[in-house]
Amino acid sequence: MKIRATQAIMECLLEQEVDTVFGYPGGTILNLYDELYNYQDKIHHVLTAHEQGASHAADGYARSTGKVGVCFATSGPGATNLTTGIATAYMDSSPVVFITCNVSENLLGKDSFQEVDITGIAMPITKATYLVRDPQTIPDVMRQAFAVAATGRPGPVLIDFLKNVTFLNAMIDYEFIPWTQNRSTDSIRELAVSHGLKAPEPDLGDIDKLVEMIAQAQRPLIICGGGVVRGRADKQFREFAEKLDAPVAITVMGGGGFPGAHPLTTGMIGMHGSQASNVACNECDLLIAVGCRFSDRVALQPESFASQAKIVHIDIDRSEIDKNVLTDHHIIGSAKRVLELLNQRLPQYSHPEWKAHILPLREKQPVEEGEKLTPGQILDCIQKAVPHDTIVATDVGQHQMWSIQHFHFEYPGQLLTSGGFGTMGFGLGAAIGAKMGNPDKVVVHTTGDGCFRMNCHELATVQYYNLPIITVVFNNGTLGMVRQWQHLIYNEHYSQTTLDRGPDFVKLAEAYGLKGKRVTNRAEMEAALQEALSCGCGYVIDCQIDMDEMVRPMVAGGAHITDFLLK
């Protein structure tokens, strides 16, 4: 049947079962927003305060729900304001479709008002980009974009529609095809083959070889990476770890892929990894990394990483194999499918001596007593006050590491954090997306005073949509993680890291119509949390902590994984 081009875009969103979109309108995308007006009973649009906030919200929605997030923005600065969010999603393999509109065909390439080559800009930080010049291609492009974003290793995709493509009198042929069917159409199948999107079926010979390696190992260690979380392979991973009876180290992106309180968990690995995880990595004889890219925050010194071990890498993306750390064996495939095949072949193992050596090295995160408020007290209060399934969105820095070290994440999508790109300002947008996608769950946003300044204007979004998100500011009056490096490595040259300036975060919350409280000790923190949980609106807790609090442990970048600067 014949329908408007803009109508086809909305219908394609419905094909993909999209019910929530985050965005910010502008001149070139007005035709799309005009059509959205007709679909407001089917597609809920969340208007953020800034395009970057919309990008992080769509990302947080995707991570917390397992669905594809969707974000709208106009051309020029609207589109470029998305790039930090696109790169954040790309580095952490989060499936988001970004939809922008550009100037009309006759204005393209003429430095027209708010014109920018966003497909060219976004090409290195997306799985694919599409510049749509012909309205007849809209259904195929939309279906391909969602398939690319969600299939194989997930990631962001950008579609840029020329404004003339969205003219309200543009009519195209369209037939509604549910996504469960359109993923099997010829065009999508061809796309999957040509782009390597479909996760390859693991080679059974590779599976059997790993089974043999496991049988010979005396000191195995498993790393739970982000691929376990993205692939929702947590059940298969847990069965594998328990069959192997091996310690499990967890990367930042792996949080929630394996229960943080499980008896086999050794905690985070790498720069701020636990002694148990880092020592186990150094002394194991078989290291099995599942969905882990061996970044420089994990494999700080690649040439000496797990030097006593046979290293096995399981990953959906062949390009990650031997990129950072040379392996002895690898298996290409989705984490879920590889682990299913392994679990079918593995007997029950027992490694009591190895566990008795490693597991006692686990450090309980300290909760210091006394009148002075500490990070440990803050996190202990939160953990005791909120439901066990609470979603935690963090920004980047000391508070991020403290949060990941302290909380026991139990399921994929419970921890939302920018692990690869390290984006300050990510947390509040991600929390908004998570709350929109999980309205029945408590959402806590942990942040630092430096990070919070970057996107605190999204409190307007929190207020308008009546989202009871609890923002906890670890306010130490400094860029804490940078100051920690300056203290330990740069001879205490505290160059441009002291934040002796506004705003007053409590008054800021009140200015946005929210509630806030400044706390200086544990009793005040406990009282503020109870009020935040019961008030039914957004709440900002300004936690005053010492400027020289540090994240422990710490290994310097490029150092051996057990050369701790701090323990």
Side-chain angles (χ1 to χ4, degrees):
M1 63 178 177
K2 292 278 188 182
I3 63 173
R4 293 183 301 278
T6 51
Q7 190 178 356
I9 294 172
M10 297 301 154
E11 290 294 328
C12 285
L13 291 177
L14 295 179
E15 282 184 3
Q16 303 297 325
E17 300 183 352
V18 172
D19 56 16
T20 304
V21 171
F22 304 87
Y24 204 96
T28 61
I29 201 170
L30 275 180
N31 292 333
L32 201 56
Y33 271 88
D34 190 69
E35 192 67 64
L36 182 64
Y37 184 86
N38 301 321
Y39 282 78
Q40 55 189 307
D41 60 333
K42 298 177 181 178
I43 299 174
H44 177 50
H45 181 277
V46 180
L47 176 64
T48 56
H50 190 279
E51 290 93 352
Q52 185 177 333
S55 70
H56 295 325
D59 189 352
Y61 179 92
R63 297 186 197 215
S64 64
T65 64
K67 302 176 183 178
V68 177
V70 180
C71 182
F72 286 1
T74 194
S75 63
T80 57
N81 281 341
L82 296 178
T83 54
T84 296
I86 295 172
T88 302
Y90 184 71
M91 289 289 281
D92 291 345
S93 303
S94 183
V96 184
V97 172
F98 293 90
I99 294 176
T100 58
C101 288
N102 217 320
V103 299
S104 294
E105 182 90 47
N106 64 314
L107 297 176
L108 205 61
K110 297 181 179 180
D111 294 331
S112 303
F113 179 68
Q114 291 191 336
E115 178 196 357
V116 74
D117 179 12
I118 190 59
T119 52
I121 291 170
M123 196 172 294
I125 51 173
T126 53
K127 288 185 72 178
T129 61
Y130 299 88
L131 177 61
V132 181
R133 295 172 179 265
D134 179 359
Q136 300 297 330
T137 65
I138 286 173
D140 278 347
V141 168
M142 291 287 288
R143 291 162 185 161
Q144 285 186 20
F146 277 85
V148 171
T151 310
R153 181 177 181 172
V157 172
L158 182 133
I159 310 172
D160 192 33
F161 294 99
L162 296 187
K163 187 172 183 179
N164 55 282
V165 169
T166 67
F167 283 168
L168 299 181
N169 60 356
M171 304 295 287
I172 70 166
D173 292 314
Y174 171 78
E175 178 186 358
F176 187 95
I177 304 176
W179 73 268
T180 51
Q181 294 179 30
N182 68 45
R183 295 280 171 89
S184 63
T185 60
D186 289 342
S187 63
I188 299 299
R189 280 200 300 268
E190 290 171 7
L191 182 79
V193 172
S194 63
H195 288 236
L197 296 176
K198 186 177 179 181
E201 181 65 14
D203 185 283
L204 294 182
D206 292 338
I207 298 287
D208 291 338
K209 181 177 179 179
L210 178 52
V211 170
E212 294 174 7
M213 295 173 77
I214 290 171
Q216 297 168 9
Q218 299 298 315
R219 304 185 307 279
L221 173 69
I222 311 170
I223 296 180
C224 177
V228 177
V229 174
R230 291 291 170 269
R232 296 308 199 249
D234 49 309
K235 292 179 181 178
Q236 293 79 7
F237 186 93
R238 179 169 182 163
E239 181 183 350
F240 176 63
E242 290 175 347
K243 275 196 169 187
L244 201 53
D245 192 38
V248 176
I250 304 174
T251 69
V252 168
M253 295 313 303
F258 188 69
H262 193 283
L264 291 173
T265 301
T266 57
M268 191 171 11
I269 186 171
M271 179 173 285
H272 295 291
S274 69
Q275 185 180 7
S277 291
N278 287 10
V279 169
C281 179
N282 190 50
E283 297 184 5
C284 65
D285 63 359
L286 178 64
L287 177 70
I288 304 171
V290 184
C292 164
R293 61 176 176 254
F294 294 119
S295 77
D296 59 308
R297 287 299 193 263
V298 171
L300 298 101
Q301 195 179 77
E303 63 273 14
S304 67
F305 185 76
S307 58
Q308 299 186 50
K310 298 287 186 182
I311 298 176
V312 179
H313 193 177
I314 297 170
D315 207 280
I316 199 170
D317 187 351
R318 185 177 294 276
S319 70
E320 290 294 340
I321 305 300
D322 295 333
K323 183 174 78 175
N324 295 323
V325 171
L326 294 178
T327 60
D328 296 281
H329 182 50
H330 63 263
I331 302 174
I332 306 299
S334 72
K336 180 178 288 188
R337 182 59 179 152
V338 172
L339 292 171
E340 285 174 347
L341 293 170
L342 283 168
N343 291 335
Q344 292 169 8
R345 290 160 169 76
L346 285 177
Q348 181 63 52
Y349 285 94
S350 178
H351 298 99
E353 293 181 4
W354 173 231
K355 290 192 302 179
H357 173 55
I358 292 299
L359 297 182
L361 298 177
R362 294 179 295 191
E363 315 95 346
K364 191 176 188 324
Q365 289 302 312
V367 181
E368 307 86 349
E369 299 303 327
E371 288 301 312
K372 188 171 70 171
L373 189 63
T374 65
Q377 288 179 359
I378 295 168
L379 294 163
D380 191 55
C381 288
I382 296 171
Q383 191 167 42
K384 290 179 178 177
V386 301
H388 74 279
D389 64 348
T390 293
I391 295 173
V392 177
T394 84
D395 278 295
V396 171
Q398 287 181 314
H399 72 274
Q400 176 192 32
M401 294 297 103
W402 288 324
S403 298
I404 294 171
Q405 288 173 342
H406 193 95
F407 290 129
H408 297 314
F409 300 104
E410 303 297 318
Y411 64 88
Q414 187 177 17
L415 168 64
L416 309 178
T417 195
S418 175
F421 208 48
T423 304
M424 295 174 69
F426 168 79
L428 186 53
I432 290 168
K435 189 62 181 176
M436 285 294 183
N438 304 268
D440 297 330
K441 289 184 179 178
V442 172
V443 177
V444 173
H445 164 223
T446 64
T447 186
D449 49 319
C451 286
F452 191 40
R453 282 179 175 85
M454 293 199 171
N455 274 334
C456 60
H457 45 259
E458 292 303 338
L459 290 176
T461 312
V462 172
Q463 185 277 330
Y464 180 80
Y465 294 98
N466 195 30
L467 304 175
I469 293 167
I470 302 171
T471 291
V472 180
V473 185
F474 289 70
N475 190 348
N476 54 5
T478 186
L479 296 174
M481 187 62 85
V482 185
R483 180 182 175 88
Q484 179 167 329
W485 281 54
Q486 288 173 333
H487 176 80
L488 294 171
I489 301 170
Y490 291 92
N491 301 313
E492 300 183 359
H493 294 167
Y494 301 122
S495 177
Q496 302 302 313
T497 48
T498 302
L499 301 177
D500 50 353
R501 62 206 70 186
D504 180 321
F505 293 126
V506 175
K507 290 182 179 179
L508 181 69
E510 293 170 351
Y512 279 108
L514 306 176
K515 293 187 178 182
K517 186 158 288 186
R518 183 171 297 104
V519 300
T520 60
N521 58 50
R522 182 174 187 128
E524 291 175 351
M525 179 67 191
E526 290 173 346
L529 268 173
Q530 290 306 315
E531 184 177 352
L533 286 165
S534 62
C535 73
C537 67
Y539 199 105
V540 176
I541 305 176
D542 182 3
C543 303
Q544 301 288 304
I545 63 173
D546 190 86
M547 181 178 281
D548 289 313
E549 289 281 2
M550 294 198 187
V551 178
R552 301 170 186 270
M554 177 180 174
V555 179
H560 189 273
I561 199 167
T562 59
D563 288 344
F564 292 99
L565 278 174
L566 295 174
K567 285 192 176 180

